[in-house]
């Protein structure tokens, strides 16, 4: 995990220890300044990482009961440098305490670790545990119960595909894969998801006891050398272990370091192994050699002899550039009990096979296969290896098939070259680097926020349009309902008149401003709109005892389809009663049409009551004054309702005159005033019209 790494040039005279300690990361939750936040201290643990985060797993705890409590068996520490996956609004970089699931424990140390950022996975191979699989300590008493001394036959897998939901699994090694301490675990881009290669290790190391003496030196010397001559291989895709013999190679090696460099044409994958010792004799010389294991030929080649004073063990190494191996840390043997020669950080050029005296981030090159390796496997610096299989043949056809499967190198990201630092302080991770091809100076959160806002706008607009459209439909529906009701009324009156079809417009007669008894025909002038308006004066109606009505009524005939609708507007002054009846002219017309008479004053109400024997309305509605507009019997309400009473006929060629007494009601049969008053409601019930259930008088009020 070094995608934002900014390095400074250094040489053998640079105080690298001071630089590393200046501005170092604090394990304190929440940062520096928290009491005992850096505790506890682990010895020989592992760092499992991808490009955004890492976990500190395993290791022997330095016990100090006065300063801090030892962590539990399922507690580990994680550092998140960058966020990935779904948005995390409260996320910030730093250390966090995490918890292991059942079946996975942190009580393990001295194992081999490897990470594959392109797969978002990491692994921890074997190591040592306490005899009871419980806690152990690096500085414990001389009791073996609290020492990590038993090899663990486990492979721990960490899947970091989903941040904050990482998955830990624990699988048991097959019986032919030997457990050991401090092997080197290398992930190589071979096969569909890559393979794990286990190099070196020791069965009973000297550091497993307080006295630094191997528990079984003889057994360790017998079993440990095979770990460099027969290589254990794990196919990640099929979860299968293989073993493949090699050619040549060193003897027992442990606590060294290793990196892998593929040739430009992928014809060979070369693993560089540096340093270490046999894991038993601390007083002996440590190794400063650099060996190369070439795959798929499985041949060893030593490209650097080194010198004893420069040797070290317990160090780690990585590739900052394709052609350079950087070695960090380590310790010397008791035979050379001095500080690390050339400092704690040294650099080796894997292309030339030479140690470098300084590091400059501006100086780097492409990887080339070393000349000695070319001699062993054939080809040139770019690849083109001629030895493409083990000299002894493949251990199994399945393993050969794994090596025949190409890995997708497009999943592997390159973050070099690195920018040189202008200061000697460690720079903490900042925001992830932006893609120069896609970055336009707009923050990455703009797109999702804008998408949400536009979605809400569209949704609101759609809802508004739906409501407006529905309201318009409701308005049209109401208008259609009213028009349908009027059309029904017209059809009922057409039926009530019982006239045959005619082609001429209707001629109406009405009393007007003339006093003579003549009944001149009213000439109607049709208009282009189908509306006929009477422009003549209305005379008294013949054969009736009706005096002149005040004012000049205006009668309008409106043509609708094959029927015509007559609109009659009467004078709103008090009408004159018909002699001897107690009814006005309008009342007589309504009575003939089957409606109750209009009560315009108390005298007319009394006359009608005397004639019919019952009151059509409660006395309280009219006593003391005329009916108010709020009552259904007020004259102003009947004047408006009279526009709904129409004299209708079909078009005909002859003019036909109608009198009020000839109007046929669709509600009840036509009765004379005498019969109507005498029979009252009973007479109407006896001669019920077939349309009584269709239209009521309330429809015209």
């Amino acid at each position: 995990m070094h995608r934002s790494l900014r390095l400074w040039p250094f040489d053998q005279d640079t105080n690298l220890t001071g630089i590393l300690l200046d501005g170092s990361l604090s394990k304190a939750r929440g940062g520096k300044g928290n009491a005992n936040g850096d505790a506890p201290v682990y010895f020989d643990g592992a760092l499992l990482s991808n490009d955004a985060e890492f976990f500190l797993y395993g290791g022997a705890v330095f016990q100090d009961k006065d300063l801090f409590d030892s962590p539990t068996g399922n507690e580990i520490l994680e550092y998140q440098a960058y966020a990935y996956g779904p948005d995390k609004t409260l996320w910030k970089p730093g250390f966090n305490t995490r918890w292991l699931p059942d079946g996975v424990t942190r009580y393990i140390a001295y194992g081999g670790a490897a990470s594959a950022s392109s797969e978002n996975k990491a692994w921890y191979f074997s190591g040592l545990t306490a005899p009871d699989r419980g806690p152990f300590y690096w500085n414990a008493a001389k009791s073996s119960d609290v020492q990590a001394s038993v090899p663990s036959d486990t492979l721990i897998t960490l899947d970091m595909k989903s941040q904050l939901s990482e998955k830990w699994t624990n699988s048991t090694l097959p019986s032919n894969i030997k457990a050991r301490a401090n092997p080197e675990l290398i992930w190589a881009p071979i096969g569909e998801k890559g393979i794990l290669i286990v190099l070196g290790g020791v069965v009973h190391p000297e550091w497993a006891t307080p006295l630094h003496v191997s528990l079984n030196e003889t057994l360790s010397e017998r079993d440990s050398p095979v770990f460099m001559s027969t290589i254990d291989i794990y196919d990640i895709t099929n979860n299968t272990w293989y073993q493949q013999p090699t050619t040549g190679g060193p003897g027992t090696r442990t606590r060294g370091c290793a990196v892998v460099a593929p040739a430009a044409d992928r014809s060979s994958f070369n693993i560089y192994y540096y340093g270490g010792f046999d894991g038993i004799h601390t007083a002996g010389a440590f190794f400063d050699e650099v060996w190369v294991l070439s795959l798929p030929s499985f041949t060893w080649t030593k490209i650097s002899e080194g010198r004893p004073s420069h040797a070290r063990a317990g160090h780690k190494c990585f590739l900052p550039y394709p052609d350079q191996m950087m070695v960090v840390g380590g310790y010397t043997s008791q035979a050379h009990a001095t500080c690390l020669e050339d400092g704690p950080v040294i650099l080796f050029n894997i292309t030339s096979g030479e140690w470098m005296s300084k590091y400059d981030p501006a100086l780097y090159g492409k990887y080339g296969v070393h000349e000695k390796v070319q001699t062993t496997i054939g080809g040139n610096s770019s690849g083109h290896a001629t030895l493409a299989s083990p000299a002894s043949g493949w251990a199994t056809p399945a393993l050969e098939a794994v090596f025949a499967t190409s890995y997708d190198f497009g999943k592997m990201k390159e973050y070099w070259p690195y920018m040189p630092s202008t200061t000697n302080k460690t720079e903490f991770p900042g925001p992830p680097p932006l893609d120069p091809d896609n970055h336009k100076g707009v923050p990455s959160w703009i797109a999702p926020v804008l998408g949400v806002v536009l979605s809400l706008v569209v949704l609101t607009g759609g809802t508004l349009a739906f409501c407006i459209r529905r309201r318009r439909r409701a308005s049209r529906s109401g208008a259609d309902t009213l028009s349908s009701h009027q059309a029904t009324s017209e059809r009922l009156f057409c039926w009530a008149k019982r006239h045959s079809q005619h082609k001429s417009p209707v001629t109406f007669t009405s009393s007007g401003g003339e006093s003579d008894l003549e009944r001149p025909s009213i000439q109607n002038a049709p208009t282009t709109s189908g509306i006929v308006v009477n422009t003549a004066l209305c005379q008294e109606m013949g054969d009736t005892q009706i005096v002149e009505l005040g004012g000049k009524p205006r009668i309008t005939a409106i043509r609708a389809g094959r029927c015509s609708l007559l609109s009659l507007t009467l004078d709103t002054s008090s009408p004159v009663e018909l002699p001897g009846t107690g009814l006005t002219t309008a009342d007589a017309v309504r009575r003939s049409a089957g409606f109750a008479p209009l009560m315009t004053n108390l005298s007319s109400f009394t006359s009608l009551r005397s004639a019919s024997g019952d009151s059509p309305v409660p006395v309280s509605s009219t006593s003391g004054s005329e009916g108010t507009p709020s009552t259904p019997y007020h004259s102003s309400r009947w004047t408006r309702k009279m526009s709904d009473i129409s004299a209708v006929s079909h078009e005909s060629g002859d003019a036909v005159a109608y009198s009020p007494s000839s109007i046929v009601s669709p509600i009840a049969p036509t009765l004379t005033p005498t019969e109507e008053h005498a029979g009252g409601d009973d007479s109407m019930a006896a001669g019920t019209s077939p349309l009584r259930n269709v239209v009521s008088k309330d429809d015209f009020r």
Side-chain angles (χ1 to χ4, degrees), residues 388-403:
S389 62
S392 59
W394 290 101
T396 63
L399 181 59
E400 180 181 8
V402 171
F403 275 82

Side-chain angles (χ1 to χ4, degrees), residues 150-169:
V150 179
S152 175
D153 58 346
T154 58
L155 176 68
I156 306 298
T157 302
L158 170 61
D159 188 344
M160 295 172 282
K161 182 179 180 180
S162 178
Q163 193 175 37
L164 301 181
S165 299
E166 295 83 0
K167 296 181 180 179
W168 295 79
T169 56

Side-chain angles (χ1 to χ4, degrees), residues 212-227:
H212 291 275
V213 177
S214 175
L215 292 175
N216 194 331
E217 183 176 327
T218 302
L219 181 63
S220 185
E221 289 178 343
R222 186 194 70 186
D223 294 343
S224 298
V226 73
F227 299 145

Side-chain angles (χ1 to χ4, degrees), residues 160 227 386 510 521 601:
M160 295 172 282
F227 299 145
T386 57
S510 174
S521 298
N601 52 46

Side-chain angles (χ1 to χ4, degrees), residues 439-452:
H439 181 56
K440 303 300 183 182
V442 179
S444 58
W445 53 266
I446 287 293
V449 171
L450 188 59
V452 172

